[in-house]
Each structure stands twice: as structure tokens, then as C-alpha cells.
Amino acid sequence: MEPKVTIAINAARLAAKEIHKFSRRRDKINIFEKGPTDFVTNSDIKVERIIIEELSKAKPNFSLISEENGIVKNKDDSNTWIIDPIDGTNNFIHGIPHHCVSIAMQFRGKTELAVIYNPYLDQLFTATKGSGAQLNGQRIRVANRKDFSGCLFSGALKYSKKVFTNTYPEAVLDLHKEISGLRYSGSLAL
């Protein structure tokens, strides 16, 4: 496995340990509102710090883009880690064990690798450019379908002025006529 993937996996697994701690002590979770229906917790902040420390130990010159800290330019701005410490914060806040650690790495603006770790089911998704994707070390593939019939879709229905137009609900209803079902899990990465 590529060394950078291993670095991201180690960071994700360390972060997951902290997520588990907070999950067992829900009374220690403090929630802050970033905007309407957009939340951050002290857990997000701590988990992100753990990930950044782990990634920076291994690759101190890489730049970073993280959900809570934003953009951090370092000496090597060709390589950039992209971090969402708890993808599915709303699920996390409500005690729904369907959220994950999400780490990707870009080289010159192109995504080269991604690691998604679901700490509750011990599911480790990895993908590297040119090598496909894996779930817990086993190669995974998309369905070999010619159309949407029988397909199960996952998406986000969260309101956003940027993407939510008056025609969006109608388009979703039209899609439902063709597909097997639509799931909104609260964690797009998963």
C-alpha cells in the first residue's frame, strides 16, 4: 500500500478512538452553531487536531484544508491533505452511529487518494488514483448497469441556496420513478 495511504489510515484510526470516547460520554459533547443548520462540536475540533498532528508528523511540509481550520499553506503546496474530521456531524450530535472520518490528498489540485473510516462498523474505504477502491482490503466496484432502473441512490437533501433551486424537489421525485430507492444517510462520504 502506498505510504501516504498508510499515513491517512493511521490518522483516521487515531481519530476514531477519540470519536468513540466522545460517543461513550455524550455529556462531554459541546455543540456550537456555525450557521443555520450547520453545527460544529468540541469533538470535531479535537478529532481534527488529532488528524492534523498525525498527518503533519509524517508529512510536515504538506498543506492542509480542514473543515474547522480552513486552508493552511505550508512549504509544499503541491501536496494538500483534505480533512473532514466527522463527516455526518448532525448524526454524531444526535447519537446516530453513522458518521465517519474522511481524509483525502491532492497533488497539484488532483485527488490522488482517499480514506473513509466508519469507526462503528470498522469499515475502511480506501481509493488511490489508478488503483481503484477497496473496503477493508477487498476491491470494490460499481454496479454494471446501463440505466438507473433498480439502482439505489444515496444523496443529500440538505437545503443550500447554492444548489437548491425550485426544480430540485421535482427532479428528485422524477428520479424516484426510475430507481429502486433514495437514501439520505447524513454522511455523504459513507
Side-chain angles (χ1 to χ4, degrees), residues 27-41:
D27 59 314
K28 301 290 184 191
I29 299 172
N30 300 316
I31 303 164
F32 311 97
E33 195 170 326
K34 292 196 287 190
T37 71
D38 191 10
F39 304 99
V40 64
T41 68

Side-chain angles (χ1 to χ4, degrees), residues 35-179:
T37 71
D38 191 10
F39 304 99
V40 64
T41 68
N42 57 325
S43 312
D44 290 274
I45 293 165
K46 185 162 186 188
V47 169
E48 185 173 278
R49 189 171 354 112
I50 289 167
I51 294 168
I52 289 172
E53 286 173 7
E54 190 66 17
L55 296 175
S56 296
K57 254 193 307 187
K59 298 290 183 183
N61 294 327
F62 281 21
S63 294
L64 300 157
I65 301 173
S66 63
E67 185 168 9
E68 310 315 330
N69 285 316
I71 299 171
V72 177
K73 293 277 187 186
N74 285 324
K75 288 179 188 174
D76 183 350
D77 62 358
S78 293
N79 288 288
T80 304
W81 293 111
I82 302 168
I83 304 158
D84 188 347
I86 303 177
D87 179 72
T89 298
N90 208 11
N91 283 351
F92 176 75
I93 288 168
H94 290 92
I96 299 169
H98 190 78
H99 44 273
C100 63
V101 177
S102 177
I103 302 170
M105 204 243 12
Q106 287 185 338
F107 178 69
R108 295 188 178 144
K110 303 239 188 242
T111 304
E112 296 286 320
L113 67 91
V115 170
I116 307 295
Y117 184 60
N118 177 341
Y120 299 96
L121 298 178
D122 193 29
Q123 291 177 315
L124 178 66
F125 296 89
T126 58
T128 54
K129 187 176 179 179
S131 298
Q134 298 184 331
L135 168 58
N136 293 337
Q138 298 295 312
R139 187 171 172 104
I140 55 176
R141 301 176 190 275
V142 296
N144 187 16
R145 304 261 184 178
K146 302 284 185 222
D147 57 38
F148 291 157
S149 175
C151 291
L152 183 63
F153 278 58
S154 179
L157 301 177
K158 190 172 181 179
Y159 177 78
S160 168
K161 287 181 182 178
K162 293 177 190 169
V163 296
F164 201 93
T165 65
N166 292 336
T167 60
Y168 185 69
E170 189 178 318
V172 171
L173 289 174
D174 284 344
L175 183 63
H176 261 286
K177 294 173 188 171
E178 291 186 57
I179 63 175

